[in-house]
């Protein structure tokens, strides 16, 4: 991938999709506890009584509170739709990045691809991918958002499949695309920041004497991509989580943005920044390291069959 278009071009589209879906799913399994903590922090609203302490405080505190009150398994709430999401969304956004980038620059282009084209290609694949995968994201957020309930209060959903069917039955098929606007904005922007920055950082590192296309380069590029993605995408990520967590409270994306700004202040858009960075930083490192190895495996498999 990235900064190595020649190497990437000798893998079939199906092989690239499979490698991307596998890498994204593996990263999801490893980091979803941090994502659950991030969602809880983002959905936590300012207390009416300013003297009252918030339930969730910081990344580690939130993880510890969830584990203590709800059990360790609660940290993996939403893992099933999360894997649905990564197989579909991860495969599309990452798998199509190189072909779309080539489409924008032209198949006969020679030299380093301009950063603007990388950003445009990544935004395009991110927007297309999440427009298709939005139902999986919605179910994932709703399962993660549900905390510990009193014994006499039933849960809204017994699991991922029940959540899909319940939402369709009670709210209609269109409800599965609740928050699709901010989700397209969020994932298009984050994907642009993530893939384009990984591509650019890796390309830059490989020009430094002594650096090669190895694990160290992939690790540094992945960390850089995660940091850029969180800085750029955190505000739309908060709006997306709030709309998906409680869609009845907001009329539209703009309404959610305005109410969040008015009620909780501008810093609310960076709630959960540290767990978000811990999540995206580690997610990117794991995903890109796994992706590079998975693509090598696929390349060898396809070469042996030729």
């Amino acid at each position: 991938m990235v900064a190595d278009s020649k190497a990437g071009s000798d893998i079939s589209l199906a092989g690239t999709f499979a490698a991307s879906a596998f890498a994204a799913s593996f990263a999801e399994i490893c980091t979803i506890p941090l994502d659950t903590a991030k969602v809880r922090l983002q959905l936590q609203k300012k207390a009416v009584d300013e003297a009252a302490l918030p339930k969730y405080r910081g990344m580690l505190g939130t993880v510890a509170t969830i584990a203590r009150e709800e059990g360790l398994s609660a940290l993996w709430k939403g893992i099933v739709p999360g894997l649905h999401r990564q197989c579909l969304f991860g495969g599309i956004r990452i798998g199509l990045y190189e072909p779309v980038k080539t489409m924008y620059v032209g198949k006969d282009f020679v030299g380093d691809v301009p950063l603007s084209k990388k950003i445009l290609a990544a935004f395009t694949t991110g927007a297309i991918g999440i427009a298709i995968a939005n139902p999986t994201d919605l179910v994932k957020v709703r399962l993660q958002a549900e905390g510990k309930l009193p014994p006499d209060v039933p849960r809204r959903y017994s699991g991922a499949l029940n959540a899909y069917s319940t939402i369709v039955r009670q709210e209609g098929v269109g409800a599965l695309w609740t928050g699709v606007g901010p989700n397209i904005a969020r994932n298009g922007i984050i994907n642009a920041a993530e893939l384009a920055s990984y591509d650019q950082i890796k390309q830059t590192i490989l020009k430094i004497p002594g650096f090669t296309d190895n694990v160290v380069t992939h690790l540094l590029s992945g960390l850089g991509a995660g940091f850029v993605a969180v800085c750029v995408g955190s505000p739309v990520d908060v709006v997306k989580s709030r709309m998906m967590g409680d869609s009845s409270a907001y009329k539209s994306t703009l309404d959610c943005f305005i109410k969040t700004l008015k009620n909780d202040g501008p810093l609310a858009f960076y709630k959960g920044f540290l767990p978000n960075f811990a999540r995206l930083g580690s997610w990117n490192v794991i995903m890109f390291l796994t992706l590079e190895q998975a693509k090598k495996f696929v390349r060898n498999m396809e070469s042996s069959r030729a």
Side-chain angles (χ1 to χ4, degrees):
M1 156 168 204
V2 286
D4 188 13
S5 56
K6 183 178 179 181
S9 65
D10 59 4
I11 304 176
S12 67
L13 184 59
T16 304
F17 182 94
S20 301
F22 174 78
S25 296
F26 181 68
E28 185 77 5
I29 293 171
C30 295
T31 62
I32 198 170
L34 298 176
D35 191 52
T36 299
K38 178 206 72 173
V39 169
R40 295 287 182 90
L41 284 167
Q42 288 177 334
L43 294 177
Q44 182 169 258
K45 299 178 181 172
K46 184 184 281 188
V48 176
D49 180 4
E50 294 188 0
L53 294 175
K55 181 177 181 179
Y56 302 119
R57 303 183 68 186
M59 177 187 68
L60 295 181
T62 301
V63 169
T65 298
I66 294 171
R68 183 177 65 253
E69 294 186 352
E70 305 169 46
L72 281 174
S73 62
L75 292 169
W76 275 267
K77 275 185 177 179
I79 186 60
V80 173
L83 291 177
H84 294 166
R85 178 185 188 274
Q86 293 303 341
C87 283
L88 188 58
F89 176 57
I92 293 172
R93 77 180 181 96
I94 301 168
L96 291 181
Y97 174 67
E98 289 294 338
V100 171
K101 186 171 68 172
T102 299
M103 179 188 73
Y104 282 135
V105 298
K107 63 180 181 180
D108 298 323
F109 179 85
V110 178
D112 293 339
V113 176
L115 179 59
S116 61
K117 299 295 185 182
K118 295 174 183 176
I119 292 172
L120 182 59
F123 183 88
T124 300
T125 61
I128 292 172
I130 203 60
I132 296 171
N134 195 80
T136 63
D137 213 13
L138 174 73
V139 169
K140 176 188 170 187
V141 168
R142 289 201 180 182
L143 289 175
Q144 288 178 316
E146 196 169 55
K148 186 176 182 180
L149 300 174
D152 57 335
V153 178
R155 293 193 175 278
R156 285 196 295 175
Y157 314 114
S158 60
L161 295 180
N162 175 256
Y164 289 121
S165 60
T166 300
I167 291 170
V168 170
R169 186 175 65 254
Q170 294 181 352
E171 305 173 49
V173 175
L176 290 172
W177 276 267
T178 296
V180 69
N183 215 10
I184 286 176
R186 181 251 185 192
N187 284 282
I189 291 170
I190 288 181
N191 200 50
E194 193 174 274
L195 292 187
S197 62
Y198 180 86
D199 199 342
Q200 192 70 24
I201 292 169
K202 182 180 175 184
Q203 179 180 294
T204 302
I205 290 175
L206 289 176
K207 291 179 179 179
I208 300 174
F211 281 89
T212 59
D213 191 2
N214 57 19
V215 171
V216 174
T217 298
H218 303 157
L219 190 152
L220 293 174
S221 302
L223 276 175
F227 181 76
V228 172
V230 175
C231 289
V232 172
S234 189
V236 286
D237 191 38
V238 169
V239 171
K240 181 217 72 168
S241 292
R242 290 198 171 190
M243 284 195 72
M244 287 184 166
D246 186 10
S247 59
S248 62
Y250 309 106
K251 298 176 183 177
S252 64
T253 303
L254 181 61
D255 181 56
C256 181
F257 181 89
I258 292 173
K259 284 183 177 177
T260 300
L261 181 63
K262 180 180 178 182
N263 297 332
D264 300 322
L267 290 181
F269 293 111
Y270 285 90
K271 270 188 176 181
F273 182 88
L274 287 179
N276 205 5
F277 173 63
R279 151 75 166 174
L280 266 184
S282 58
W283 192 95
N284 273 276
V285 168
I286 294 170
M287 195 281 292
F288 282 117
L289 286 175
T290 305
L291 177 63
E292 300 280 8
Q293 296 306 310
K295 289 182 72 176
K296 288 180 182 178
F297 176 79
V298 171
R299 186 177 296 112
N300 291 335
M301 288 287 291
E302 293 185 343
S303 296
S304 66
R305 292 176 184 174

